[in-house]
Amino acid sequence: MSRLLRFHLGLAATGIVLIFALRLIGNDYAWYTGYVILQYVLLSVAWNVLAGYAGYVNFGTAAFFATGAYTTILLTKSLNLDLVLCVLAAGLISGGLGLAVGWLTLRLRGVYFSIATLSLAVVLQTLVVNWSYAGGSSGAYTMRPQGNNLFGNYSEFLFVLMLVLALGAIAAAAWIERSRLGMGLAAIRDDERAAAAAGVPTLRLKLIATAISGAMMGMAGAPLPYYASYLNPEAAFSLTYTINTMAMTLIGGTQSWVGPVIGAVLLSALQQGATVTISSAGNLLIVGGVLILFVMLAPKGILGLVQASRGKGGAA
Amino acid sequence: MAYDALVVRDLDAGYGAVRVLHGVSLRVPEGQIVALLGTNGNGKSTLMKAILGLVKPTRGTVRARLDGREVDLTGRATEEIVDLGVVLVPEGRRLFRDLTVEENLVLGAWRACARREISGNLRLCFETFPRLGERRRQRVGSMSGGEQQMVAIGRALMSMPRILLVDEPSVGLAPIMVKQTIETIGALKAKLGLTVLMAEQNFTQAIRIADRGSVLVHGSIAFEGETAESLGDNHLVRQFYLGT
């Protein structure tokens, strides 16, 4: 129990250190960069719940992410709801979407599941484009509040919000790994039919994983309208989110939550740096290049490299 | 009172357009071991899978009598059937290779009643297979075939089965391990009062522990024998197994 407590305290301490470190920089750009990096940490940890733990590759990250973003737009427009409440609602709606999609598609295995999730983004984007209340194809503007009660600077508030979400997702992922749910998912990943024969309720566990993963992705997208202050369907449903998330997780390693965190921090920091110094169009090129290198040289990601070197060290 | 723990009636099952089982009827009396005999491709595994709901039968019924209650298993989800106490040791073992011995075993304990008894059942597994106790933290993928078969049987025991289905326990094992594995199944049946349906190609070993045998040919039961002698005398068995 004390180990768990120490882990949670460690997460909280990391968060506080990050906030104060960025305050020292005292620059809006630092909050923005931090926000984007944490957003990818959250997305990657979420994606890994289904892909790393259960072995189901979801190509619909952008769909869940955009569902969260549009939840905020609709709730702000109709009810003028506070962003924090929008985030919670986005979690519920994206989680529900995950459940519904899972119920329709999880009977499919392997690549068929992936194709089905890929089409989800296309379907939802078409829906939003033709929905004028949500801004239609021309997009929607969100007025950012001048400041925040707790944090004077709204950029800082957005950063802290994403930080809390990302740390919460890490805690949840770490819990899943140790839980019965995590072990059941690992059994599904190794051999789904054998898992069923051993009595593992495979469909139920997969649905839970899809719902958790979808809810996290939706929450990652919920603050986006405030971050960008303008959102159109093309940007929200961009395949970039899907590809980045997958690449980051694969580069970091899928064995535990540590992998997606490492991958997301490294790759998105690299992307942010390249955006400023080289060009913003070079981003996907970097991702593609790094991914190819990893697939060829370290197919199990950074975690796999660390484990391999440790294994050698132990044997020697 | 002796009664039948498992009754299969007029079962048809297959994969897509291919029908494998044609009107299979079979009964397994409570507390007995029935050996399901037959060479490759005659439908033994398909019958096992159909009983467990991994393959959906197109006709016929599977009924079980568990804890004095008659239950229809036909059309139920696999996890529900396992939850009732009917458990399969699958062909080729089908373990979770990346997990440790202990994790594989604990994964067998998904039934509510088994979940409360995990530590006691682990002890039972390690008593039955001391080898597994020594290697509880080892990754299953790195173990020998015989050890993996122990894990597979242990995983089934963890669910506290009433009816145990064992599919080809001898596949890929050294002859000495085949003998041991079959003997262990016999001993476990006696110790735990299990009802066992065991598909096996190794006739001479299977018949040592079986109370009766059924021969499956081209998806139908061709012969049922009550004793080892009657099975040994049967022309089908002689043709397939004994080469005479």
Side-chain angles (χ1 to χ4, degrees):
Chain A
M1 207 58 210
S2 74
R3 219 177 122 197
L4 184 65
L5 190 67
R6 244 184 301 158
F7 176 67
H8 286 155
L9 285 178
L11 283 182
T14 313
I16 292 167
V17 168
L18 273 176
I19 293 172
F20 279 97
L22 289 188
R23 270 200 180 168
L24 284 180
I25 301 175
N27 179 334
D28 247 20
Y29 180 69
W31 299 124
Y32 276 123
T33 312
Y35 173 92
V36 173
I37 292 174
L38 287 171
Q39 167 191 297
Y40 275 118
V41 168
L42 178 51
L43 282 175
S44 302
V45 169
W47 188 75
N48 200 37
V49 168
L50 203 57
Y53 303 166
Y56 273 77
V57 175
N58 172 7
F59 272 90
T61 306
F64 292 101
F65 181 77
T67 300
Y70 271 96
T71 302
T72 298
I73 287 182
L74 291 172
L75 288 180
T76 309
K77 199 169 171 185
S78 58
L79 305 169
N80 204 15
L81 220 55
D82 188 72
L83 177 56
V84 175
L85 293 176
C86 289
V87 168
L88 294 178
L92 282 179
I93 290 176
S94 293
L97 179 68
L99 210 59
V101 171
W103 193 78
L104 286 173
T105 59
L106 278 174
R107 286 156 223 275
L108 306 173
R109 289 188 189 162
V111 72
Y112 300 104
F113 171 78
S114 304
I115 294 169
T117 50
L118 182 60
S119 63
L120 178 67
V122 181
V123 171
L124 287 181
Q125 184 176 347
T126 313
L127 204 75
V128 172
V129 164
N130 290 294
W131 190 1
S132 57
Y133 187 74
S137 60
S138 54
Y141 289 90
T142 313
M143 289 303 281
R144 205 189 248 222
Q146 284 301 316
N148 182 274
N149 309 340
L150 281 167
F151 306 89
N153 184 336
Y154 202 77
S155 308
E156 182 178 351
F157 167 70
L158 286 178
F159 171 82
V160 173
L161 180 64
M162 194 51 84
L163 180 68
V164 170
L165 290 175
L167 293 177
I170 290 173
W175 171 80
I176 292 173
E177 281 172 29
R178 284 188 318 268
S179 71
R180 228 181 141 64
L181 169 64
M183 227 198 314
L185 293 176
I188 292 171
R189 179 189 61 208
D190 271 14
D191 188 335
E192 187 158 348
R193 286 177 77 93
V200 176
T202 52
L203 184 63
R204 197 188 332 150
L205 295 195
K206 287 189 293 182
L207 283 177
I208 294 172
T210 324
I212 292 176
S213 176
M216 287 178 177
M217 289 174 175
M219 291 201 263
L224 184 70
Y226 283 91
Y227 168 81
S229 67
Y230 165 71
L231 192 68
N232 66 1
E234 228 168 283
F237 286 94
S238 167
L239 200 58
T240 314
Y241 291 112
T242 306
I243 294 170
N244 275 344
T245 301
M246 290 171 78
M248 287 166 184
T249 312
L250 294 176
I251 286 168
T254 57
Q255 301 92 320
S256 91
W257 63 267
V258 184
V261 172
I262 294 176
V265 169
L266 284 182
L267 207 56
S268 53
L270 191 67
Q271 283 185 325
Q272 290 299 307
T275 307
V276 183
T277 52
I278 309 168
S279 89
S280 56
N283 276 340
L284 273 180
L285 192 66
I286 294 173
V287 174
V290 175
L291 188 60
I292 289 171
L293 277 181
F294 267 86
V295 167
M296 287 188 342
L297 302 174
K300 286 195 160 182
I302 293 172
L303 276 189
L305 282 180
V306 172
Q307 276 167 358
S309 71
R310 260 200 210 154
K312 268 181 209 155
Chain B
M1 261 302 273
Y3 56 88
D4 290 332
L6 187 68
V7 180
V8 176
R9 198 162 287 149
D10 298 326
L11 205 68
D12 285 4
Y15 309 91
V18 185
R19 221 171 89 195
V20 179
L21 300 180
H22 307 271
V24 171
S25 293
L26 181 81
R27 50 190 202 88
V28 186
E30 197 264 345
Q32 291 202 357
I33 296 184
V34 171
L36 190 58
L37 304 163
T39 45
N40 261 344
N42 280 310
K44 298 192 301 299
S45 294
T46 306
L47 177 55
M48 294 287 195
K49 287 179 192 158
I51 293 172
L52 207 69
L54 285 166
V55 170
K56 297 281 170 246
T58 46
R59 192 172 70 93
T61 56
V62 180
R63 302 180 71 83
R65 198 181 158 95
L66 298 150
D67 308 316
R69 214 157 49 90
E70 183 98 2
V71 210
D72 193 354
L73 304 182
T74 331
R76 286 185 191 250
T78 302
E79 68 236 39
E80 249 181 285
I81 295 174
V82 175
D83 204 47
L84 288 164
V86 183
V87 179
L88 171 73
V89 180
E91 182 180 10
R93 304 176 281 273
R94 305 287 286 257
L95 297 169
F96 310 116
R97 300 179 60 84
D98 290 337
L99 304 181
T100 65
V101 170
E102 191 170 333
E103 285 170 334
N104 266 278
L105 292 176
V106 171
L107 269 167
W110 214 279
R111 295 178 69 195
C113 64
R115 228 180 277 189
R116 289 190 291 270
E117 308 285 341
I118 285 182
S119 56
N121 285 330
L122 270 179
R123 220 174 307 128
L124 171 71
C125 286
F126 296 151
E127 268 166 30
T128 316
F129 306 108
R131 210 37 182 284
L132 299 185
E134 295 158 21
R135 310 198 162 191
R136 56 199 293 174
R137 308 242 174 268
Q138 189 173 333
R139 259 188 64 238
V140 159
S142 64
M143 297 174 86
S144 78
E147 289 163 340
Q148 291 193 11
Q149 189 63 56
M150 294 176 193
V151 178
I153 295 173
R155 183 175 66 188
L157 290 183
M158 291 297 292
S159 67
M160 307 176 74
R162 299 311 310 146
I163 299 174
L164 187 63
L165 310 175
V166 190
D167 197 358
E168 302 272 5
S170 72
V171 161
L173 300 188
I176 174 103
M177 288 307 301
V178 173
K179 192 160 171 278
Q180 269 183 28
T181 305
I182 300 272
E183 277 167 8
T184 308
I185 292 170
L188 284 170
K189 169 233 158 190
K191 184 173 176 182
L192 305 172
L194 298 173
T195 303
V196 180
L197 177 63
M198 178 174 71
E200 184 52 69
Q201 295 199 42
N202 192 326
F203 171 76
T204 38
Q205 290 297 335
I207 209 65
R208 288 173 53 219
I209 61 162
D211 296 295
R212 54 171 72 205
S214 296
V215 183
L216 201 55
V217 179
H218 300 319
S220 317
I221 299 286
F223 178 70
E224 288 185 288
E226 300 281 333
T227 59
E229 294 80 51
S230 69
L231 280 162
D233 282 344
N234 180 256
H235 74 280
L236 285 169
V237 175
R238 294 171 74 97
Q239 184 188 333
F240 288 137
Y241 292 105
L242 307 175
T244 55

